[in-house]
Amino acid sequence: MGGDVEAGDPILTQYVLDDPVPWYKKRNLRYVYFVLIPTCIGVEITSGFDSSMMNGLQSVSFWDEYFHQPRGQTLGLMSASYSLGCIISLPFIPFIVDNAGRRLSIVIGSCIMLVGVALQTAAVNYVMFVIARGTIGFGIPMAIVSASAMIGELSYPKERTYLGSLFNASWFIGAITAAGVTYGTFSMKSNWAWRIPSVLQAVPSLMQITFMYFLPESPRWLLSKGRDDEAYQILATYHAEGDQDSEFVKTEFAQIKATLQIEAENSKRSWKEMIATPGMRKRVIIASFLGLFTQWSGNGMISYYLKRILADVGITNNKTVNQINVANTCWGLVNATTLAFLVYKIKRRTAYLACTISLLTIYTSWTICAARYTIAGDTKASHGVLALIFLYSPAYNLGYNALTYTFLVELFPFTVRARGITIFQLFGRLAGFFNQYVNPIGIQNAGWKYYLSYVIWLAFEVCFVYFMFPETSGRTLEELAFIFEGKEVKKRQAKETEQELVHGHVGAPMPVKPSGDEKKEASEMIEKV
């Protein structure tokens, strides 16, 4: 089963467990966590704002009239152009993120999104609006991949799960803001009813650009570029409150450096590397399907087409629809934030299984209620659909919101982390594009019967999680780096970590290309396992 894997030597984890001082009593760590909020955690605000804004604009009469009542394929393309932009950008992201660094990559992505927001706000026709949304979509994955990696690589191990969970929870801050803004502007008697929400989508990107100066770079990225002194200084400053002689920092630095050295020996920095060994292939399969699951679990229906769903069960008043949208989004923020602080108590596989089983149960009930209203006009069934929409949120957030980026950062070693998260983004955006384009057509043509496809898919998700997902909780990133590679590689990792601690070096300084014999030996070792 998926949980039957073995992590590396937990020496650093024990240091973390023995540390009794909470983060808020550590001045330097407290500082970096507060700076992470606008620079990294807030990246997902843009995604939340976008989906909620598109949902809300469908109830804004001036937007509807300005773009000639988009429905079916026309509406689908307006929503899906965002995902299409994401898909087009993905091949370039790993190269930029790994070479420019985490900080600069976030700034580049944010600048691209600002261009898209300007075009969207100034849109004079359907084509310009679609191009603008595609431009925003082109910039967001670069910021997401960099920010999610940065959170995992810069945070103290004890708080990594919290911060990774809050990254996705910030989606709801953007969604609430957009829902509130569109609710406040939908009655305006001018095109500013939709242009105001559009221009406000620039705020998160402006925050990232403004505050990035105050955020240190990922120490793991610095080490991978041979900038050992800078990396050690950052670890000592933020993980040991400036104590250069901290045993924890010495061990952490040694473990990171030893792990990166082993990774680099077998790394070709190419996409072929992602399928070169059994362990990497398994990671890619998990990340690919996780990308599909985060979009094909029915959430896209609620995020983008709530108005059409409610219309199918007799709720058609625009003001009521907007009130439901705002209430559901606020509820999502409450339960997502709560789960972000509680999910660390639950093992990863357990949380994902609870998530998928709950979603399957809810969607099955939703389909039955929608069918009863359509066939018999049962108003109680209509109320049931509304209740299930609100129950859906905590069920989804338990796994796919609270854990996704935390899990991905833990799943992939540093040298392939950007590519791994990019693969997740690729499949998620492909699924999102399909959903945004096909969902309105499915709702229009099949009604409640369209929901059956989600019920079948969710049943598959339960089985996939049970058999494929490994358990990654309770370990540092380096202890998880070779989770699928077997005991021999883990023994070498522990040995070289010890060498670094004792002698102050592991082979040659990072980064160094290994000799042909060394590379062959490392490759053979990993192939064996």
Side-chain angles (χ1 to χ4, degrees):
M1 288 189 296
D4 296 336
V5 293
E6 183 181 350
D9 187 357
I11 180 173
L12 198 63
T13 296
Q14 193 57 51
Y15 273 116
V16 174
L17 293 174
D18 292 340
D19 180 6
V21 184
W23 67 270
Y24 52 83
K25 291 186 178 180
K26 299 176 180 180
R27 181 181 177 183
N28 293 348
L29 190 61
R30 187 171 65 238
Y31 163 84
V32 82
Y33 284 173
F34 279 121
V35 177
L36 277 172
I37 293 172
T39 55
C40 294
I41 294 174
V43 165
E44 276 287 2
I45 292 175
T46 300
S47 298
F49 194 102
D50 183 85
S51 63
S52 186
M53 183 190 73
M54 281 304 297
N55 219 340
L57 289 182
Q58 292 173 57
S59 300
V60 176
S61 57
F62 268 83
W63 180 87
D64 203 42
E65 292 168 10
Y66 192 85
F67 294 106
H68 310 294
Q69 292 82 42
R71 301 290 185 273
Q73 293 184 24
T74 307
L75 176 61
L77 183 58
M78 292 184 89
S79 297
S81 56
Y82 177 84
S83 291
L84 182 60
C86 296
I87 294 166
I88 294 171
S89 74
L90 290 174
F92 311 104
I93 289 175
F95 175 80
I96 296 172
V97 172
D98 285 338
N99 286 280
R102 310 315 196 202
R103 296 167 73 245
L104 183 57
S105 299
I106 295 171
V107 172
I108 293 170
S110 298
C111 289
I112 294 171
M113 286 187 279
L114 287 178
V115 173
V117 168
L119 290 172
Q120 182 175 270
T121 305
V124 295
N125 54 40
Y126 176 85
V127 174
M128 187 173 177
F129 192 86
V130 168
I131 291 172
R133 288 185 50 70
T135 305
I136 297 171
F138 190 90
I140 188 68
M142 190 180 303
I144 289 176
V145 171
S146 303
S148 58
M150 175 70 97
I151 290 168
E153 293 167 5
L154 188 58
S155 59
Y156 189 68
K158 189 182 290 186
E159 287 85 42
R160 190 180 71 239
T161 303
Y162 299 124
L163 296 171
S165 299
L166 288 172
F167 176 70
N168 257 357
S170 71
W171 185 97
F172 291 96
I173 297 174
I176 290 170
T177 305
V181 170
T182 53
Y183 179 70
T185 63
F186 91 99
S187 59
M188 292 176 66
K189 305 301 180 184
S190 73
N191 286 323
W192 284 105
W194 62 269
R195 293 191 194 275
I196 288 175
S198 293
V199 74
L200 289 177
Q201 197 168 0
V203 173
S205 297
L206 288 172
M207 289 173 60
Q208 286 140 32
I209 294 169
T210 302
F211 286 94
M212 192 56 68
Y213 175 80
F214 304 99
L215 186 72
E217 182 56 88
S218 162
R220 288 167 174 83
W221 182 80
L222 291 171
L223 261 170
S224 74
K225 298 301 179 183
R227 295 159 65 176
D228 295 22
D229 291 342
E230 293 176 64
Y232 190 90
Q233 185 64 42
I234 288 172
L235 290 173
T237 300
Y238 299 106
H239 289 187
E241 294 301 291
D243 182 2
Q244 300 288 331
D245 298 319
S246 165
E247 289 301 316
F248 172 81
V249 170
K250 289 179 180 178
T251 305
E252 184 179 30
F253 180 86
Q255 193 179 66
I256 293 171
K257 188 171 181 180
T259 303
L260 291 179
Q261 187 77 33
I262 296 170
E263 289 178 25
E265 287 178 4
N266 201 52
S267 175
K268 299 177 181 178
R269 297 283 179 176
S270 72
W271 285 102
K272 289 182 180 179
E273 183 182 352
M274 303 304 289
I275 56 172
T277 65
M280 287 308 305
R281 288 193 289 272
K282 187 168 185 177
R283 289 183 178 93
V284 168
I285 291 170
I286 292 170
S288 302
F289 276 94
L290 184 57
L292 297 178
F293 295 165
T294 56
Q295 297 299 321
W296 278 355
S297 298
N299 51 309
M301 297 278 284
I302 299 172
S303 296
Y304 284 89
Y305 303 109
L306 180 62
K307 179 177 172 63
R308 309 302 166 207
I309 292 170
L310 295 176
D312 280 349
V313 291
I315 303 172
T316 56
N317 181 273
N318 280 345
K319 185 175 182 179
T320 302
V321 171
N322 269 316
Q323 288 173 335
I324 292 171
N325 186 27
V326 172
N328 187 48
T329 309
C330 289
W331 166 232
L333 176 63
V334 170
N335 67 67
T337 305
T338 302
L339 287 168
F341 287 102
L342 294 177
V343 77
Y344 78 96
K345 296 182 178 181
I346 310 172
K347 288 185 178 295
R348 307 286 192 260
R349 292 183 73 252
T350 303
Y352 273 118
L353 283 170
C355 166
T356 51
I357 292 170
S358 298
L359 290 176
L360 175 60
T361 304
I362 289 168
Y363 236 90
T364 301
S365 304
W366 181 343
T367 304
I368 293 170
C369 288
R372 283 188 58 80
Y373 178 83
T374 303
I375 296 169
D378 187 344
T379 55
K380 290 183 179 178
S382 172
H383 297 155
V385 169
L386 188 57
L388 288 163
I389 287 172
F390 279 82
L391 285 173
Y392 179 94
S393 180
Y396 179 90
N397 291 338
L398 174 61
Y400 294 140
N401 188 284
L403 288 176
T404 294
Y405 284 102
T406 298
F407 184 65
L408 285 167
V409 170
E410 293 170 346
L411 186 65
F412 286 97
F414 174 85
T415 54
V416 295
R417 187 166 293 141
R419 277 170 282 169
I421 299 175
T422 298
I423 289 171
F424 162 80
Q425 282 281 316
L426 172 63
F427 280 83
R429 298 303 177 177
L430 286 170
F433 178 80
F434 178 87
N435 275 355
Q436 290 159 7
Y437 190 72
V438 172
N439 277 345
I441 301 171
I443 295 169
Q444 189 176 54
N445 296 336
W448 68 267
K449 294 177 184 177
Y450 183 62
Y451 303 148
L452 288 170
S453 60
Y454 284 104
V455 173
I456 295 169
W457 179 257
L458 284 165
F460 169 73
E461 288 185 17
V462 175
C463 297
F464 188 93
V465 169
Y466 182 79
F467 287 106
M468 291 294 291
F469 275 34
E471 184 53 64
T472 60
S473 60
R475 296 301 176 102
T476 68
L477 297 183
E478 279 62 48
E479 289 163 4
L480 293 166
F482 306 112
I483 193 170
F484 295 129
E485 273 68 41
K487 293 181 179 180
E488 290 302 317
V489 179
K490 296 185 184 74
K491 286 179 181 178
R492 182 182 169 194
Q493 179 193 34
K495 181 181 178 181
E496 296 201 1
T497 298
E498 185 178 351
Q499 286 178 350
E500 171 66 22
L501 282 169
V502 174
H503 303 295
H505 65 86
V506 180
M510 289 285 294
V512 170
K513 292 289 184 182
S515 67
D517 290 341
E518 290 172 334
K519 193 163 187 176
K520 183 179 179 182
E521 182 182 346
S523 179
E524 287 174 351
M525 180 185 297
I526 290 180
E527 284 290 352
K528 286 179 182 178
V529 297

